[in-house]
Amino acid sequence: MTDAPGGVQVVRTPEDLRAVRQGLGPVGFVPTMGYLHEGHAALIRRARQENALAVVSIFVNPMQFGPTEDLARYPRDLDRDLRVCAEAGAQVVFTPDAGVMYPPGFSTQVSLTGVSEPLDGAARPGHFTGVATVVLKLLNLVQPDRAYFGEKDWQQLAVIRRMVADLNVPVQVVGVPTVRADSGLALSSRNSYLGAEQQARATVLSRALRAVQAAYAAGERDTARLEQAGLDVLATDPEVQPDYLAVVPPDLQRQPTVTPDSLNRVLVAARMFGVRLIDNLPLDPTDPVPAALPPGGPA
Ligand code: AMP
C-alpha cells in the first residue's frame, strides 16, 4: 500500500483492499482501464459525492480483449491517472497485476445470454464475458454500496445491470451520462490513438446519431429507415467502416418498428483510422433514463 501525490492510497492486493475498505461507510466504486479523462472524472466525482469513500480500479483486463485487439498498445499512464483520481476526489485506487486477478488455475467465466449477444457481443466474441467476469470479481473485492458506469458503453451498462440483478449482487448500479468534447465527440481513452484532425473527423459518429434522432423527431418509426438516416451520414466519410448502427429498446433486441415511449437508444460502432469507436444517444432526447432495472429487461 502506498500514498501517491494528492493523498490517494494505492492498493495492489485483495488483502490490502480489504484492510482499507473495512469499517468505512458507504463506498462508491468506479471500475476503469485507466488513461483517465473527464468522462472517468465525472464518474469519480459522482462516486465521491454520494459516498463516504470513492474507490477507483485501474486494470486493463486481458479477458475482455480479443486476440486481434489492442491489449498490448492500450494507453497507460498511472502517474497521470493518480492525479486525475485525486483531483476528482477518489481516496483509494486499486490497481492489481493481471496475476493477482487471474492466478494460475483460474477457471471461472461469467457469461450472459440476451443483452450480451447482439451488437458489440456479435462484433467482439467473448468481450462481455470478460467484462462481466472482471466486474463481478471487482465488485466482490471492493464490496461497494454503489458502482458507477458510463452510458458511453451503453450495452456494457445493460450487461452489468442484468448480471447484478440475475446474481443478486448487493450493489446499486448507477449510470452516468456520456461526457463529450465541445465537438460532440464522446471522450474515450482510445481517442488518444487519433490526431486532432482525425478526432475532428470522428465527430461523424455523433452526427450520425443526431441524424437518427432528427428522423425520429420528424415522425419516422421504421427501424431500418431510422438507421439508414445515420448510415447515410457515416457514408459521407470514406474512412468510416461501420460495424453497426442500430436502434434498440432497453433489452437491446432490435424490432422492425420503434414504439414511442419505450426508451429506445441508437448505438453506433465504427472503425476509423484503425481505431474502433463507439457512441450512443437516446432516440428521443426527452426520454428519462431509468435508474433501475425494469421487470424483464435491463435499463
Ligand atoms: P474504460 O476505462 O473505458 O473501461 O471506462 C471506465 C468507465 O468509464 C466505464 O463505465 C465507461 O463507460 C466510463 N466512461 C468512459 N468514457 C466515458 C465518457 N465519455 N463519459 C462517461 N463515462 C465514460
Side-chain angles (χ1 to χ4, degrees):
M1 226 180 304
T2 52
D3 274 338
V8 183
Q9 261 192 321
V10 183
V11 172
R12 294 185 192 276
T13 66
E15 295 73 28
D16 285 349
L17 185 62
R18 209 168 302 130
V20 295
R21 166 72 178 82
Q22 217 135 46
L24 287 164
V27 172
F29 176 46
V30 181
T32 82
M33 299 206 300
Y35 215 71
L36 304 179
H37 49 66
E38 258 310 300
H40 298 109
L43 271 64
I44 299 168
R45 280 195 289 271
R46 182 88 183 265
R48 178 61 191 275
Q49 273 162 21
E50 298 178 356
N51 303 275
L53 189 74
V55 179
V56 176
S57 66
I58 298 177
F59 179 60
V60 182
N61 173 35
M63 209 203 250
Q64 72 190 66
F65 286 79
T68 62
E69 293 183 351
D70 57 344
L71 172 63
R73 72 161 179 151
Y74 197 82
R76 291 164 168 87
D77 186 344
L78 184 60
D79 288 342
R80 190 173 141 277
D81 286 349
L82 294 176
R83 286 197 296 275
V84 174
C85 286
E87 275 166 29
Q91 297 105 320
V92 176
V93 172
F94 178 50
T95 174
D97 288 333
V100 167
M101 293 298 277
Y102 303 113
F106 187 90
S107 309
T108 302
Q109 295 191 334
V110 180
S111 161
L112 289 81
T113 55
V115 281
S116 77
E117 287 172 331
L119 309 174
D120 270 3
R124 305 181 67 188
H127 171 65
F128 286 123
T129 295
V131 169
T133 304
V134 79
V135 170
L136 184 59
K137 279 176 68 74
L138 290 167
L139 291 173
N140 284 333
L141 286 162
V142 177
Q143 300 187 17
D145 298 85
R146 301 181 186 88
Y148 296 81
F149 295 87
E151 289 179 0
K152 158 82 175 13
D153 298 275
W154 184 258
Q155 190 173 8
Q156 169 174 286
L157 177 57
V159 166
I160 302 297
R161 286 194 194 281
R162 186 77 259 167
M163 175 187 76
V164 161
D166 288 354
L167 300 182
N168 308 96
V169 184
V171 67
Q172 183 191 339
V173 174
V174 181
V176 179
T178 302
V179 177
R180 297 174 182 280
D182 291 341
S183 66
L185 180 67
L187 298 190
S188 164
S189 306
R190 287 191 169 96
N191 292 349
S192 66
Y193 297 141
L194 305 174
E197 168 67 19
Q198 294 174 330
Q199 291 196 20
R201 295 259 296 267
T203 59
V204 71
L205 266 68
S206 57
R207 285 186 277 122
L209 298 176
R210 287 203 303 273
V212 179
Q213 285 183 328
Y216 178 80
E220 185 60 75
R221 295 293 179 265
D222 177 80
T223 301
R225 280 202 290 269
L226 283 166
E227 291 165 349
Q228 195 57 50
L231 290 169
D232 288 348
V233 173
L234 293 182
T236 61
D237 190 329
E239 182 59 37
V240 179
Q241 297 171 255
D243 248 352
Y244 59 77
L245 185 146
V247 175
V248 289
D251 66 2
L252 281 293
Q253 310 304 313
R254 188 178 176 278
Q255 303 299 322
T257 54
V258 300
T259 317
D261 304 323
S262 54
L263 303 175
N264 295 289
R265 202 87 184 175
V266 50
L267 290 81
V268 64
R271 192 167 285 279
M272 289 187 80
F273 308 104
V275 180
R276 190 171 186 280
L277 300 169
I278 60 171
D279 198 357
N280 68 86
L281 282 175
L283 185 58
D284 180 348
T286 64
D287 274 350
V289 176
L293 187 75

